[in-house]
mmCIF file of all heavy atoms in Angstrom:
data_model
loop_
_atom_site.group_PDB
_atom_site.id
_atom_site.type_symbol
_atom_site.label_atom_id
_atom_site.label_comp_id
_atom_site.label_asym_id
_atom_site.label_seq_id
_atom_site.Cartn_x
_atom_site.Cartn_y
_atom_site.Cartn_z
ATOM 1 N N GLY A 1103 65.747 -2.763 27.042
ATOM 2 C CA GLY A 1103 64.901 -3.639 27.706
ATOM 3 C C GLY A 1103 63.763 -4.214 26.905
ATOM 4 O O GLY A 1103 63.163 -5.248 27.244
ATOM 5 N N LYS A 1104 63.398 -3.658 25.772
ATOM 6 C CA LYS A 1104 62.321 -4.054 24.974
ATOM 7 C C LYS A 1104 62.754 -5.134 23.911
ATOM 8 O O LYS A 1104 61.939 -5.853 23.365
ATOM 9 C CB LYS A 1104 61.663 -2.852 24.238
ATOM 10 C CG LYS A 1104 61.052 -1.813 25.096
ATOM 11 C CD LYS A 1104 60.444 -0.677 24.317
ATOM 12 C CE LYS A 1104 59.944 0.332 25.125
ATOM 13 N NZ LYS A 1104 59.361 1.546 24.424
ATOM 14 N N GLY A 1105 64.052 -5.130 23.693
ATOM 15 C CA GLY A 1105 64.594 -6.031 22.630
ATOM 16 C C GLY A 1105 65.613 -5.380 21.780
ATOM 17 O O GLY A 1105 66.381 -4.559 22.251
ATOM 18 N N TYR A 1106 65.632 -5.718 20.534
ATOM 19 C CA TYR A 1106 66.490 -5.101 19.567
ATOM 20 C C TYR A 1106 65.751 -4.029 18.689
ATOM 21 O O TYR A 1106 64.844 -4.439 18.012
ATOM 22 C CB TYR A 1106 67.102 -6.188 18.700
ATOM 23 C CG TYR A 1106 68.288 -5.711 17.820
ATOM 24 C CD1 TYR A 1106 69.503 -5.317 18.415
ATOM 25 C CD2 TYR A 1106 68.216 -5.698 16.408
ATOM 26 C CE1 TYR A 1106 70.521 -4.948 17.599
ATOM 27 C CE2 TYR A 1106 69.296 -5.375 15.617
ATOM 28 C CZ TYR A 1106 70.506 -4.989 16.153
ATOM 29 O OH TYR A 1106 71.482 -4.613 15.436
ATOM 30 N N VAL A 1107 66.019 -2.820 18.898
ATOM 31 C CA VAL A 1107 65.227 -1.754 18.362
ATOM 32 C C VAL A 1107 65.993 -1.120 17.164
ATOM 33 O O VAL A 1107 67.087 -0.522 17.300
ATOM 34 C CB VAL A 1107 64.879 -0.658 19.398
ATOM 35 C CG1 VAL A 1107 64.006 0.429 18.782
ATOM 36 C CG2 VAL A 1107 64.200 -1.213 20.589
ATOM 37 N N VAL A 1108 65.395 -1.123 16.027
ATOM 38 C CA VAL A 1108 65.926 -0.642 14.783
ATOM 39 C C VAL A 1108 65.100 0.594 14.345
ATOM 40 O O VAL A 1108 63.904 0.450 14.190
ATOM 41 C CB VAL A 1108 65.966 -1.660 13.594
ATOM 42 C CG1 VAL A 1108 66.573 -1.032 12.407
ATOM 43 C CG2 VAL A 1108 66.700 -2.919 14.105
ATOM 44 N N THR A 1109 65.770 1.716 14.196
ATOM 45 C CA THR A 1109 65.071 2.918 13.839
ATOM 46 C C THR A 1109 65.533 3.402 12.546
ATOM 47 O O THR A 1109 66.815 3.580 12.329
ATOM 48 C CB THR A 1109 65.240 4.029 14.909
ATOM 49 O OG1 THR A 1109 64.810 3.555 16.184
ATOM 50 C CG2 THR A 1109 64.410 5.247 14.571
ATOM 51 N N ILE A 1110 64.667 3.689 11.584
ATOM 52 C CA ILE A 1110 65.109 4.149 10.254
ATOM 53 C C ILE A 1110 64.330 5.500 9.989
ATOM 54 O O ILE A 1110 63.137 5.565 9.934
ATOM 55 C CB ILE A 1110 64.714 3.166 9.145
ATOM 56 C CG1 ILE A 1110 65.365 1.808 9.433
ATOM 57 C CG2 ILE A 1110 65.031 3.706 7.764
ATOM 58 C CD1 ILE A 1110 64.786 0.675 8.676
ATOM 59 N N HIS A 1111 65.169 6.589 9.953
ATOM 60 C CA HIS A 1111 64.612 7.961 9.825
ATOM 61 C C HIS A 1111 65.076 8.572 8.627
ATOM 62 O O HIS A 1111 66.275 8.655 8.344
ATOM 63 C CB HIS A 1111 65.001 8.788 11.068
ATOM 64 C CG HIS A 1111 64.486 10.127 11.026
ATOM 65 N ND1 HIS A 1111 63.182 10.510 11.135
ATOM 66 C CD2 HIS A 1111 65.171 11.295 10.926
ATOM 67 C CE1 HIS A 1111 63.073 11.784 11.029
ATOM 68 N NE2 HIS A 1111 64.253 12.341 10.913
ATOM 69 N N ASP A 1112 64.098 9.224 7.856
ATOM 70 C CA ASP A 1112 64.520 10.007 6.692
ATOM 71 C C ASP A 1112 63.941 11.423 6.849
ATOM 72 O O ASP A 1112 63.115 11.662 7.679
ATOM 73 C CB ASP A 1112 64.052 9.358 5.395
ATOM 74 C CG ASP A 1112 62.498 9.355 5.210
ATOM 75 O OD1 ASP A 1112 61.941 10.496 5.116
ATOM 76 O OD2 ASP A 1112 61.892 8.321 5.213
ATOM 77 N N HIS A 1113 64.520 12.339 6.036
ATOM 78 C CA HIS A 1113 64.052 13.725 6.078
ATOM 79 C C HIS A 1113 63.279 13.994 4.787
ATOM 80 O O HIS A 1113 63.443 15.142 4.140
ATOM 81 C CB HIS A 1113 65.195 14.646 6.235
ATOM 82 C CG HIS A 1113 65.931 14.397 7.571
ATOM 83 N ND1 HIS A 1113 65.658 15.092 8.725
ATOM 84 C CD2 HIS A 1113 66.907 13.567 7.879
ATOM 85 C CE1 HIS A 1113 66.448 14.686 9.698
ATOM 86 N NE2 HIS A 1113 67.231 13.721 9.206
ATOM 87 N N GLY A 1114 62.538 13.095 4.295
ATOM 88 C CA GLY A 1114 61.808 13.177 2.982
ATOM 89 C C GLY A 1114 60.565 13.888 3.079
ATOM 90 O O GLY A 1114 60.169 14.632 3.991
ATOM 91 N N ARG A 1115 59.662 13.519 2.065
ATOM 92 C CA ARG A 1115 58.401 14.206 1.900
ATOM 93 C C ARG A 1115 57.355 13.877 2.970
ATOM 94 O O ARG A 1115 56.414 14.503 3.231
ATOM 95 C CB ARG A 1115 57.805 14.004 0.518
ATOM 96 C CG ARG A 1115 57.297 12.604 0.319
ATOM 97 C CD ARG A 1115 56.252 12.574 -0.890
ATOM 98 N NE ARG A 1115 55.363 11.605 -0.776
ATOM 99 C CZ ARG A 1115 55.327 10.533 -1.600
ATOM 100 N NH1 ARG A 1115 56.209 10.375 -2.524
ATOM 101 N NH2 ARG A 1115 54.413 9.614 -1.487
ATOM 102 N N GLY A 1116 57.528 12.733 3.664
ATOM 103 C CA GLY A 1116 56.627 12.341 4.704
ATOM 104 C C GLY A 1116 55.242 11.909 4.243
ATOM 105 O O GLY A 1116 54.955 11.808 3.055
ATOM 106 N N MET A 1117 54.425 11.667 5.166
ATOM 107 C CA MET A 1117 53.010 11.264 4.932
ATOM 108 C C MET A 1117 52.027 12.054 5.687
ATOM 109 O O MET A 1117 52.389 12.514 6.789
ATOM 110 C CB MET A 1117 52.867 9.723 5.164
ATOM 111 C CG MET A 1117 53.739 8.836 4.449
ATOM 112 S SD MET A 1117 53.934 7.141 5.190
ATOM 113 C CE MET A 1117 52.222 6.612 5.190
ATOM 114 N N LYS A 1118 50.799 12.125 5.238
ATOM 115 C CA LYS A 1118 49.757 12.758 6.044
ATOM 116 C C LYS A 1118 49.428 11.942 7.298
ATOM 117 O O LYS A 1118 49.560 10.664 7.119
ATOM 118 C CB LYS A 1118 48.538 13.013 5.136
ATOM 119 C CG LYS A 1118 48.725 14.071 4.103
ATOM 120 C CD LYS A 1118 47.472 14.235 3.254
ATOM 121 C CE LYS A 1118 47.228 13.075 2.365
ATOM 122 N NZ LYS A 1118 46.113 13.338 1.384
ATOM 123 N N GLN A 1119 49.000 12.561 8.314
ATOM 124 C CA GLN A 1119 48.704 11.769 9.570
ATOM 125 C C GLN A 1119 47.791 10.697 9.360
ATOM 126 O O GLN A 1119 47.918 9.565 9.866
ATOM 127 C CB GLN A 1119 48.168 12.795 10.639
ATOM 128 C CG GLN A 1119 48.186 12.193 12.026
ATOM 129 C CD GLN A 1119 49.517 11.849 12.544
ATOM 130 O OE1 GLN A 1119 50.477 12.501 12.345
ATOM 131 N NE2 GLN A 1119 49.585 10.676 13.286
ATOM 132 N N GLU A 1120 46.724 10.918 8.588
ATOM 133 C CA GLU A 1120 45.666 9.820 8.415
ATOM 134 C C GLU A 1120 46.221 8.692 7.660
ATOM 135 O O GLU A 1120 45.728 7.563 7.810
ATOM 136 C CB GLU A 1120 44.412 10.415 7.667
ATOM 137 C CG GLU A 1120 44.697 11.052 6.301
ATOM 138 C CD GLU A 1120 44.974 12.523 6.410
ATOM 139 O OE1 GLU A 1120 45.433 13.044 7.390
ATOM 140 O OE2 GLU A 1120 44.582 13.230 5.424
ATOM 141 N N ASP A 1121 47.210 8.925 6.741
ATOM 142 C CA ASP A 1121 47.825 7.843 5.977
ATOM 143 C C ASP A 1121 48.675 6.909 6.825
ATOM 144 O O ASP A 1121 48.765 5.687 6.458
ATOM 145 C CB ASP A 1121 48.637 8.368 4.819
ATOM 146 C CG ASP A 1121 47.746 9.026 3.746
ATOM 147 O OD1 ASP A 1121 46.581 8.671 3.650
ATOM 148 O OD2 ASP A 1121 48.337 9.861 2.910
ATOM 149 N N THR A 1122 49.217 7.389 7.906
ATOM 150 C CA THR A 1122 50.097 6.533 8.767
ATOM 151 C C THR A 1122 49.292 5.446 9.411
ATOM 152 O O THR A 1122 49.817 4.397 9.853
ATOM 153 C CB THR A 1122 50.777 7.329 9.761
ATOM 154 O OG1 THR A 1122 49.908 7.968 10.635
ATOM 155 C CG2 THR A 1122 51.700 8.417 9.125
ATOM 156 N N HIS A 1123 47.974 5.671 9.519
ATOM 157 C CA HIS A 1123 47.139 4.563 10.142
ATOM 158 C C HIS A 1123 46.437 3.742 9.136
ATOM 159 O O HIS A 1123 45.657 2.833 9.484
ATOM 160 C CB HIS A 1123 45.995 5.302 10.948
ATOM 161 C CG HIS A 1123 46.522 6.265 12.019
ATOM 162 N ND1 HIS A 1123 47.277 5.823 13.047
ATOM 163 C CD2 HIS A 1123 46.427 7.582 12.160
ATOM 164 C CE1 HIS A 1123 47.616 6.834 13.849
ATOM 165 N NE2 HIS A 1123 47.120 7.938 13.305
ATOM 166 N N ASN A 1124 46.786 3.905 7.848
ATOM 167 C CA ASN A 1124 46.069 3.104 6.785
ATOM 168 C C ASN A 1124 47.068 2.344 5.944
ATOM 169 O O ASN A 1124 46.841 2.114 4.740
ATOM 170 C CB ASN A 1124 45.270 4.073 5.907
ATOM 171 C CG ASN A 1124 44.161 4.767 6.643
ATOM 172 O OD1 ASN A 1124 43.426 4.085 7.316
ATOM 173 N ND2 ASN A 1124 44.015 6.061 6.418
ATOM 174 N N ILE A 1125 48.169 1.897 6.568
ATOM 175 C CA ILE A 1125 49.118 1.112 5.823
ATOM 176 C C ILE A 1125 48.495 -0.271 5.554
ATOM 177 O O ILE A 1125 48.149 -0.971 6.521
ATOM 178 C CB ILE A 1125 50.466 0.948 6.611
ATOM 179 C CG1 ILE A 1125 51.137 2.339 6.755
ATOM 180 C CG2 ILE A 1125 51.403 -0.036 5.865
ATOM 181 C CD1 ILE A 1125 52.322 2.300 7.721
ATOM 182 N N GLY A 1126 48.453 -0.652 4.297
ATOM 183 C CA GLY A 1126 47.827 -1.953 3.950
ATOM 184 C C GLY A 1126 48.241 -2.314 2.545
ATOM 185 O O GLY A 1126 48.821 -1.459 1.798
ATOM 186 N N ALA A 1127 47.912 -3.496 2.185
ATOM 187 C CA ALA A 1127 48.090 -3.969 0.837
ATOM 188 C C ALA A 1127 47.493 -3.029 -0.250
ATOM 189 O O ALA A 1127 46.339 -2.739 -0.125
ATOM 190 C CB ALA A 1127 47.646 -5.428 0.611
ATOM 191 N N TYR A 1128 48.185 -2.721 -1.281
ATOM 192 C CA TYR A 1128 47.779 -1.921 -2.399
ATOM 193 C C TYR A 1128 47.507 -0.438 -2.080
ATOM 194 O O TYR A 1128 47.006 0.256 -2.996
ATOM 195 C CB TYR A 1128 46.473 -2.564 -3.044
ATOM 196 C CG TYR A 1128 46.589 -4.107 -3.203
ATOM 197 C CD1 TYR A 1128 45.657 -4.889 -2.500
ATOM 198 C CD2 TYR A 1128 47.613 -4.643 -3.813
ATOM 199 C CE1 TYR A 1128 45.787 -6.289 -2.595
ATOM 200 C CE2 TYR A 1128 47.700 -6.004 -3.969
ATOM 201 C CZ TYR A 1128 46.786 -6.804 -3.366
ATOM 202 O OH TYR A 1128 46.897 -8.236 -3.395
ATOM 203 N N ASN A 1129 47.807 -0.020 -0.925
ATOM 204 C CA ASN A 1129 47.694 1.434 -0.569
ATOM 205 C C ASN A 1129 48.911 2.166 -1.164
ATOM 206 O O ASN A 1129 49.955 1.890 -0.747
ATOM 207 C CB ASN A 1129 47.475 1.662 0.932
ATOM 208 C CG ASN A 1129 46.162 1.301 1.444
ATOM 209 O OD1 ASN A 1129 45.273 1.026 0.700
ATOM 210 N ND2 ASN A 1129 46.012 1.402 2.713
ATOM 211 N N GLN A 1130 48.631 3.232 -1.968
ATOM 212 C CA GLN A 1130 49.663 4.128 -2.402
ATOM 213 C C GLN A 1130 49.241 5.491 -2.137
ATOM 214 O O GLN A 1130 48.247 5.966 -2.604
ATOM 215 C CB GLN A 1130 49.901 3.914 -3.932
ATOM 216 C CG GLN A 1130 50.486 2.572 -4.252
ATOM 217 C CD GLN A 1130 50.816 2.519 -5.751
ATOM 218 O OE1 GLN A 1130 50.101 2.970 -6.587
ATOM 219 N NE2 GLN A 1130 51.905 1.856 -6.040
ATOM 220 N N PHE A 1131 49.990 6.163 -1.172
ATOM 221 C CA PHE A 1131 49.513 7.482 -0.714
ATOM 222 C C PHE A 1131 49.904 8.580 -1.687
ATOM 223 O O PHE A 1131 50.987 8.641 -2.256
ATOM 224 C CB PHE A 1131 50.133 7.672 0.663
ATOM 225 C CG PHE A 1131 49.969 6.554 1.600
ATOM 226 C CD1 PHE A 1131 51.042 5.739 2.002
ATOM 227 C CD2 PHE A 1131 48.657 6.148 1.994
ATOM 228 C CE1 PHE A 1131 50.830 4.616 2.781
ATOM 229 C CE2 PHE A 1131 48.531 5.062 2.817
ATOM 230 C CZ PHE A 1131 49.564 4.278 3.224
ATOM 231 N N ASP A 1132 48.882 9.460 -1.861
ATOM 232 C CA ASP A 1132 49.107 10.692 -2.674
ATOM 233 C C ASP A 1132 49.481 10.258 -4.153
ATOM 234 O O ASP A 1132 50.313 10.858 -4.759
ATOM 235 C CB ASP A 1132 50.130 11.638 -2.141
ATOM 236 C CG ASP A 1132 49.713 12.300 -0.861
ATOM 237 O OD1 ASP A 1132 48.459 12.484 -0.769
ATOM 238 O OD2 ASP A 1132 50.504 12.484 -0.008
ATOM 239 N N ARG A 1133 48.811 9.229 -4.593
ATOM 240 C CA ARG A 1133 49.156 8.696 -5.939
ATOM 241 C C ARG A 1133 48.906 9.802 -7.036
ATOM 242 O O ARG A 1133 49.599 9.854 -8.061
ATOM 243 C CB ARG A 1133 48.274 7.499 -6.341
ATOM 244 C CG ARG A 1133 48.556 6.822 -7.647
ATOM 245 C CD ARG A 1133 50.030 6.291 -7.687
ATOM 246 N NE ARG A 1133 50.376 5.840 -9.036
ATOM 247 C CZ ARG A 1133 50.493 4.515 -9.407
ATOM 248 N NH1 ARG A 1133 50.363 3.617 -8.457
ATOM 249 N NH2 ARG A 1133 50.837 4.219 -10.551
ATOM 250 N N GLU A 1134 47.992 10.715 -6.819
ATOM 251 C CA GLU A 1134 47.689 11.753 -7.768
ATOM 252 C C GLU A 1134 48.823 12.739 -7.951
ATOM 253 O O GLU A 1134 48.902 13.420 -8.900
ATOM 254 C CB GLU A 1134 46.346 12.502 -7.404
ATOM 255 C CG GLU A 1134 46.444 13.307 -6.147
ATOM 256 C CD GLU A 1134 45.996 12.442 -4.928
ATOM 257 O OE1 GLU A 1134 46.135 11.219 -4.949
ATOM 258 O OE2 GLU A 1134 45.511 13.011 -3.965
ATOM 259 N N PHE A 1135 49.754 12.816 -6.914
ATOM 260 C CA PHE A 1135 50.845 13.707 -6.958
ATOM 261 C C PHE A 1135 52.209 13.034 -7.154
ATOM 262 O O PHE A 1135 53.126 13.623 -7.683
ATOM 263 C CB PHE A 1135 50.888 14.501 -5.674
ATOM 264 C CG PHE A 1135 49.707 15.349 -5.385
ATOM 265 C CD1 PHE A 1135 48.856 15.034 -4.449
ATOM 266 C CD2 PHE A 1135 49.366 16.467 -6.186
ATOM 267 C CE1 PHE A 1135 47.759 15.742 -4.125
ATOM 268 C CE2 PHE A 1135 48.236 17.207 -5.892
ATOM 269 C CZ PHE A 1135 47.442 16.866 -4.849
ATOM 270 N N TYR A 1136 52.291 11.754 -6.801
ATOM 271 C CA TYR A 1136 53.571 11.067 -6.949
ATOM 272 C C TYR A 1136 53.333 9.709 -7.578
ATOM 273 O O TYR A 1136 52.431 8.969 -7.260
ATOM 274 C CB TYR A 1136 54.187 10.781 -5.495
ATOM 275 C CG TYR A 1136 54.331 11.988 -4.746
ATOM 276 C CD1 TYR A 1136 53.378 12.389 -3.778
ATOM 277 C CD2 TYR A 1136 55.468 12.834 -4.815
ATOM 278 C CE1 TYR A 1136 53.602 13.570 -2.978
ATOM 279 C CE2 TYR A 1136 55.675 14.007 -4.125
ATOM 280 C CZ TYR A 1136 54.679 14.354 -3.194
ATOM 281 O OH TYR A 1136 54.900 15.465 -2.464
ATOM 282 N N GLU A 1137 54.224 9.417 -8.591
ATOM 283 C CA GLU A 1137 54.175 8.077 -9.197
ATOM 284 C C GLU A 1137 54.991 7.130 -8.532
ATOM 285 O O GLU A 1137 56.202 7.193 -8.397
ATOM 286 C CB GLU A 1137 54.754 8.287 -10.665
ATOM 287 C CG GLU A 1137 54.716 6.998 -11.544
ATOM 288 C CD GLU A 1137 53.299 6.463 -11.596
ATOM 289 O OE1 GLU A 1137 52.350 7.241 -11.814
ATOM 290 O OE2 GLU A 1137 53.165 5.221 -11.560
ATOM 291 N N HIS A 1138 54.354 6.122 -7.926
ATOM 292 C CA HIS A 1138 54.999 5.178 -7.056
ATOM 293 C C HIS A 1138 55.561 3.954 -7.786
ATOM 294 O O HIS A 1138 56.515 3.344 -7.314
ATOM 295 C CB HIS A 1138 54.028 4.702 -5.936
ATOM 296 C CG HIS A 1138 53.795 5.764 -4.887
ATOM 297 N ND1 HIS A 1138 53.460 5.359 -3.604
ATOM 298 C CD2 HIS A 1138 53.794 7.054 -4.936
ATOM 299 C CE1 HIS A 1138 53.277 6.513 -2.926
ATOM 300 N NE2 HIS A 1138 53.435 7.504 -3.712
ATOM 301 N N GLN A 1139 54.979 3.578 -8.888
ATOM 302 C CA GLN A 1139 55.522 2.435 -9.646
ATOM 303 C C GLN A 1139 55.432 1.144 -8.823
ATOM 304 O O GLN A 1139 56.377 0.572 -8.449
ATOM 305 C CB GLN A 1139 56.936 2.706 -10.185
ATOM 306 C CG GLN A 1139 57.044 3.794 -11.102
ATOM 307 C CD GLN A 1139 56.359 3.596 -12.459
ATOM 308 O OE1 GLN A 1139 55.844 2.490 -12.711
ATOM 309 N NE2 GLN A 1139 56.266 4.572 -13.267
ATOM 310 N N GLY A 1140 54.228 0.714 -8.455
ATOM 311 C CA GLY A 1140 54.154 -0.526 -7.737
ATOM 312 C C GLY A 1140 52.738 -0.695 -7.213
ATOM 313 O O GLY A 1140 51.871 0.058 -7.478
ATOM 314 N N LEU A 1141 52.549 -1.809 -6.437
ATOM 315 C CA LEU A 1141 51.229 -2.015 -5.876
ATOM 316 C C LEU A 1141 51.114 -1.560 -4.441
ATOM 317 O O LEU A 1141 50.089 -1.761 -3.803
ATOM 318 C CB LEU A 1141 50.925 -3.567 -5.980
ATOM 319 C CG LEU A 1141 50.902 -4.183 -7.333
ATOM 320 C CD1 LEU A 1141 50.655 -5.690 -7.214
ATOM 321 C CD2 LEU A 1141 49.684 -3.606 -8.042
ATOM 322 N N GLY A 1142 52.146 -1.001 -3.885
ATOM 323 C CA GLY A 1142 52.073 -0.437 -2.481
ATOM 324 C C GLY A 1142 52.161 -1.579 -1.499
ATOM 325 O O GLY A 1142 51.540 -1.486 -0.443
ATOM 326 N N LEU A 1143 52.965 -2.647 -1.755
ATOM 327 C CA LEU A 1143 53.024 -3.724 -0.866
ATOM 328 C C LEU A 1143 54.220 -3.686 0.072
ATOM 329 O O LEU A 1143 54.256 -4.401 1.024
ATOM 330 C CB LEU A 1143 53.106 -4.971 -1.722
ATOM 331 C CG LEU A 1143 51.864 -5.468 -2.416
ATOM 332 C CD1 LEU A 1143 52.191 -6.627 -3.411
ATOM 333 C CD2 LEU A 1143 50.793 -5.895 -1.463
#
């Protein structure tokens, strides 16, 4: 009833709760622990 709903679920390392609210340009979460190779876009 809402439309076409696409759900993508992985069982990976996940994100901290506070990071899920801070998605934005150039944000790379836990960069000190993980090498992301990019601008976080």
Side-chain angles (χ1 to χ4, degrees):
K1104 298 179 181 179
Y1106 192 64
V1107 182
V1108 181
T1109 305
I1110 300 163
H1111 177 68
D1112 69 65
H1113 299 268
R1115 73 161 204 249
M1117 299 163 61
K1118 291 181 289 188
Q1119 190 64 37
E1120 58 267 29
D1121 288 338
T1122 64
H1123 302 295
N1124 294 317
I1125 297 172
Y1128 316 119
N1129 283 354
Q1130 293 186 321
F1131 309 113
D1132 293 327
R1133 183 64 186 252
E1134 65 271 28
F1135 299 110
Y1136 302 99
E1137 182 58 39
H1138 286 209
Q1139 298 292 353
L1141 294 177
L1143 289 170

